Each structure stands twice: as structure tokens, then as C-alpha cells.
Amino acid sequence: MRVVCIARHALLAEHVCALARGAALEPFCAVGFAAGYALTLELRPDAVLCDYDLLVSAPIAAWFGDARVAATPLIAVSLTRRPDEAVSALDSSLAAFLYLPTFTPESIGLIVRAIALGKRPDGVALPATASPLSWPSERGASRPRA
């Protein structure tokens, strides 16, 4: 399953790609929203993992206004913000929000696959999920090894 991993910096993009590789996904890295948009148009991935902080400042309306990419699930990922700390203006547009420190590569793979197949996985913050949001770590899921 192909995923495009978009982030503000090469180091962060490669980190998200490494998590995706650990999840047995086929990741492609992009630095910057424009590069990620172009790569998504070219590759037609099953899902896109995008740095949440980049999404906040990106021309997101153009993404969802373009039928060529709008159907591709857009999953926000963050190393620093939990879902309850994120700006809710993006909620209706996102397929999911993953606070990466609470997920293993295996759980990320399961979630991305479920979302790409149109299913709503349990325990992940999705749009329209009632608060308080639950994270796998609160349900006893293991944390990634340091």
C-alpha cells in the first residue's frame, strides 16, 4: 500500500516515512505541501500522512477542491500535539489525526490500511469522534521503543 509522507522538514518527512516502512507500507517522502501535492498527483497513493503543523498553514482548500486528490485519505500526524490540542477547523477534512508517540509502526499500518479501505478503526481520533478522545496508550497499547 502506497503512502505519501509530507512534512515541513526533510528530517521529519524521513521519520514519518521510516514509521510507514516499519508498518510494511510503501512510503514516498515529500518536503513541503506543494511537493507533497505534486507527488500525490503523480503516484495516486492509498493515503497521505501529513505533518499537522504543515496542514495548518497549507492551502488545504485547494487539496479538497481538486477531484484528483480529494478522495485520497489525508491523515494528520504529529510528534508534539495530541488531538485535543489540534485546531478543530481541519477536523471535517481529515481522515484521522495520529499523535505519533502513542502508536507503534504496526498500529499505524493497521490504521492506515483501515482508513484506505474506508473503515473507521477503533481508538484513533477521527473527525466527528466524541470528546474526550481516546488514544491507544490509554487503553494499554504499547508505546514505541526509544
Side-chain angles (χ1 to χ4, degrees):
M1 181 167 286
R2 285 183 170 185
V3 294
V4 170
C5 304
I6 309 170
R8 295 166 287 151
H9 306 289
L11 185 62
L12 183 54
E14 185 49 46
H15 177 70
V16 175
C17 278
L19 289 171
R21 272 190 295 281
L25 299 170
E26 184 182 4
F28 296 86
C29 293
V31 177
F33 194 77
Y37 183 83
L39 194 56
T40 300
L41 284 172
E42 177 187 334
L43 297 175
R44 306 284 190 202
D46 298 289
V48 172
L49 300 170
C50 188
D51 171 19
Y52 171 78
D53 289 324
L54 180 61
L55 282 175
V56 172
S57 62
I60 197 77
W63 179 283
F64 291 105
D66 185 339
R68 298 171 298 171
V69 295
T72 305
L74 183 60
I75 302 167
V77 297
S78 181
L79 287 169
T80 59
R81 294 181 196 263
R82 290 182 175 268
D84 64 340
E85 297 171 328
V87 177
S88 62
L90 293 172
D91 282 353
S92 63
S93 303
L94 299 175
F97 184 104
L98 304 179
Y99 176 56
L100 294 177
T102 62
F103 293 94
T104 64
E106 294 80 13
S107 64
I108 290 170
L110 290 172
I111 291 164
V112 170
R113 284 181 186 86
I115 289 169
L117 295 172
K119 301 181 188 306
R120 295 177 64 91
D122 182 40
V124 61
L126 296 171
T129 301
S131 290
L133 299 172
S134 64
W135 299 292
S137 61
E138 293 175 343
R139 297 179 318 151
S142 62
R143 295 184 142 255
R145 290 186 280 290

